[in-house]
Amino acid sequence: MPGIDTLLRGCVIVFCCALASLALANVRPAEDKLPKLRFLTETWPPMSYERHGNAEGYAVALVRALYRRVAATDSNPVIEVLPWARAMNIANQEPNVLLFATSINEQRRPEFDFVGPIAETRIQLYAREDDDFTPADLSQAVAAGNIALYRNSPAQMLLKSVPDEQLLISSFPQYSARQLLHKRVRYWCQADIAVQDVLRQLDQTPAAVRPVLELAHLRLYLAFSGGTAPERVEAWHKALLALQQNGEFDALYYEWFGVNPSLQPAEVLWRTP
């Protein structure tokens, strides 16, 4: 028969395992017992894009790391890369959709629970490198010529006061950049983190354009559609906090952007009534 010491050690091990399981349960819900989460993003390199049929980019890598932590799995989720307008439409109609990466505005606050921030960017007007005029403000830029941008982007929200006839709206940022380079518009409105990759896809260098006016400094988030369980949202929040605390988040940010993040600790911004 086992001795008292052996029995005690066995009880201690069982007790510790039970505590660990309880702690784990408090950190993440049982993903296999929740409705399947759908992952949607857009073509917005280096944040997210598709290559050889696979989703890639900083936000994609971050979501995969968070998913492995939340779901306790070594597998990666299926991430769909869609036009932003279509992805937004799906997220507005279906529960259990994770849409990323997105800024926050008054229209989106009642529709999504936000976790983050996960990145930051500046929305700027860009001119061709041979255009030496620098507008002092948006009204001066509008007076100087038309502006290209892509549909449902943060830029479109910022330019809602501009007359429709002065906006050339495309489905992808590459189309908007091409309009500028071909001199069909005076300005291109785009988030700075995407400019270099968009130009690379058009066989252009960053020197082909120059920023002339900053319109906004935005923070970007993970957005969970209405109807997603609060415990699921909170589990992703805790996972993001854990990556920030162990240094994995900073390393990933530096890998993709070449700078250290200067972001506040992650929080949840719950949907407004």
Side-chain angles (χ1 to χ4, degrees):
M1 293 181 62
I4 296 297
D5 290 344
T6 302
L7 290 174
L8 286 175
R9 283 197 297 270
C11 290
V12 169
I13 291 172
V14 170
F15 179 70
C16 289
C17 290
L19 285 179
S21 298
L22 181 60
L24 194 60
N26 289 332
V27 170
R28 59 172 165 258
E31 279 289 311
D32 58 343
K33 296 181 180 178
L34 291 172
K36 187 176 180 180
L37 189 61
R38 188 174 182 182
F39 299 83
L40 304 181
T41 190
E42 65 169 330
T43 299
W44 190 23
M47 188 67 62
S48 52
Y49 57 94
E50 194 169 37
R51 183 174 62 181
H52 306 310
N54 297 314
E56 300 291 346
Y58 159 75
V60 171
L62 177 62
V63 165
R64 285 173 176 160
L66 294 171
Y67 176 78
R68 289 193 292 269
R69 179 175 285 267
V70 169
T73 179
D74 293 330
S75 64
N76 286 322
V78 175
I79 297 176
E80 301 172 65
V81 182
L82 303 175
W84 186 248
R86 182 182 172 196
M88 180 65 72
N89 184 57
I90 292 171
N92 281 330
Q93 296 184 37
E94 298 181 11
N96 298 297
V97 173
L98 171 52
L99 179 68
F100 64 95
T102 178
S103 59
I104 299 176
N105 57 39
E106 292 180 1
Q107 179 181 344
R108 294 172 185 169
R109 279 307 307 272
E111 298 170 347
F112 297 95
D113 296 317
F114 295 92
V115 172
I118 63 167
E120 57 185 346
T121 188
R122 287 173 170 79
I123 308 298
Q124 302 189 107
L125 290 187
Y126 290 85
R128 295 182 303 277
E129 55 85 20
D130 59 352
D131 186 344
D132 59 5
F133 176 66
T134 301
D137 53 33
L138 181 58
S139 62
Q140 202 172 76
V142 170
N146 292 354
I147 302 171
L149 64 151
Y150 74 99
R151 185 171 287 105
N152 283 353
S153 65
Q156 188 171 7
M157 300 296 180
L158 293 170
L159 297 175
K160 61 183 179 181
S161 64
V162 177
D164 291 344
E165 60 269 20
Q166 289 193 252
L167 298 177
L168 188 60
I169 302 175
S170 303
S171 297
F172 297 97
Q174 294 85 351
Y175 299 165
S176 300
R178 190 177 290 116
Q179 300 299 324
L180 174 68
L181 296 171
H182 290 176
K183 300 185 179 182
R184 294 171 185 161
V185 296
R186 187 73 182 266
Y187 301 110
W188 169 36
C189 192
Q190 178 61 46
D192 61 352
I193 58 173
V195 169
Q196 181 173 332
D197 278 290
V198 170
L199 292 173
R200 178 184 53 79
Q201 293 178 52
L202 300 177
D203 295 322
Q204 297 286 336
T205 68
V209 303
R210 67 183 187 92
V212 295
L213 182 65
E214 181 177 317
L215 300 180
H217 181 192
L218 301 179
R219 291 177 175 84
L220 304 173
Y221 292 77
L222 306 176
F224 292 84
S225 64
T228 303
E231 60 266 28
R232 168 174 265 164
V233 176
E234 188 56 49
W236 281 76
H237 169 225
K238 290 180 179 179
L240 181 54
L241 278 176
L243 293 193
Q244 289 179 331
Q245 292 165 359
N246 68 16
E248 188 174 342
F249 178 86
D250 287 9
L252 188 64
Y253 201 93
Y254 189 87
E255 176 186 345
W256 283 95
F257 300 123
V259 297
N260 292 314
S262 56
L263 299 169
Q264 66 196 53
E267 60 180 341
V268 180
L269 298 176
W270 300 103
R271 293 191 304 277
T272 57

